[in-house]
Amino acid sequence: MSLTGFCVMVMGVSGSGKTAVGKALAHALHGQFLDADDLHPSTNIDKMSAGIPLTDEDRLPWLLAVSEAVNTTFVAEKPVVLACSALKKAYRTLLREHITAPLKIIYLKSSFEQVHDRLEKRSGHFMPANLLASQFEALEEPDLAEPAITAVDANLPIDQVIKDSLAALN
C-alpha cells in the first residue's frame, strides 16, 4: 500500500510503541521515517536522563526542529511517518501549523500500568520509567475536534496496530 502527500504522526507517551509502530507503518506505506526523539537538544536529553520532566519552554525549540525535519524530508510522492509524543493539543497545533504537508495523527493509547511495564524492561533510552507519571499528567488525549485523529490500542500485537492504522488512514 502506498499513500502519498501527507505526514503521519504516531503519538503517545514514552513507551507506547511510537518508534516500533512508526517504522513498521513507514515500511508499509513505502515512506520515510523520522523519530522526534533523535531531534531533542542535549539539554533536553540531560534533563530527562536526570529524571526532570520537560517544560513547555523546553519543548518549543524541539517541536520547531521536528517541523523543520519533516518539511526537509517530505516529498509529495512519499509520506513521512513521524514518531513524536506530541502530548498536548498545543504541541499538535504547533506541528500542524509548521509542517507544510497535511498532518494525520495516530494516537497510541495505553494505560499507565501497561506502559510502565514496557519502560521497566526497555534499555538504552534516555527516558526513565520514573518520568512516565509526568507524561500522563501532561497528556491531553486527542478528541474528535482535532482533524485526522485516530486512537489505536497500543497493546495489540504490532501487526494489528499497523492494520488498524492503515485502515484509519484510508
Side-chain angles (χ1 to χ4, degrees):
M1 169 183 287
S2 180
L3 300 170
T4 61
F6 61 88
C7 174
V8 178
M9 180 169 64
V10 180
M11 66 151 291
V13 297
S14 184
S16 61
K18 296 180 300 292
T19 299
V21 169
K23 285 179 178 178
L25 193 56
H27 178 75
L29 293 171
H30 307 288
Q32 301 280 350
F33 174 74
L34 291 175
D35 194 330
D37 279 351
D38 295 338
L39 301 169
H40 271 294
S42 59
T43 53
N44 284 8
I45 293 171
D46 292 346
K47 201 171 182 179
M48 288 183 283
S49 296
I52 303 167
L54 297 180
T55 65
D56 289 347
E57 293 76 26
D58 296 326
R59 286 187 177 98
L60 179 60
W62 168 65
L63 290 167
L64 293 172
V66 168
S67 299
E68 185 177 329
V70 170
N71 291 339
T72 301
T73 304
F74 180 75
V75 292
E77 298 81 34
K78 286 189 172 210
V80 172
V81 179
L82 169 69
C84 182
S85 54
L87 298 174
K88 293 185 178 182
K89 185 173 184 174
Y91 304 162
R92 296 186 296 274
T93 298
L94 182 144
L95 290 167
R96 195 177 306 284
E97 290 171 353
H98 286 86
I99 292 175
T100 56
L103 183 63
K104 298 185 179 209
I105 301 174
I106 301 292
Y107 166 45
L108 296 180
K109 185 177 176 113
S110 188
S111 71
F112 177 87
E113 295 76 21
Q114 289 168 315
V115 176
H116 189 269
D117 185 52
R118 282 187 192 175
L119 287 178
E120 287 289 321
K121 295 174 183 170
R122 179 168 79 173
S123 63
H125 195 277
F126 57 81
M127 175 71 177
N130 68 343
L131 280 183
L132 185 59
S134 70
Q135 292 242 312
F136 272 92
E137 287 168 17
L139 177 63
E140 296 171 1
E141 290 192 343
D143 58 34
L144 296 176
E146 287 187 72
I149 297 287
T150 297
V152 173
D153 184 346
N155 302 302
L156 295 172
I158 193 161
D159 291 345
Q160 187 63 49
V161 171
I162 298 306
K163 182 178 176 184
D164 293 349
S165 297
L166 290 171
L169 293 171
N170 282 321

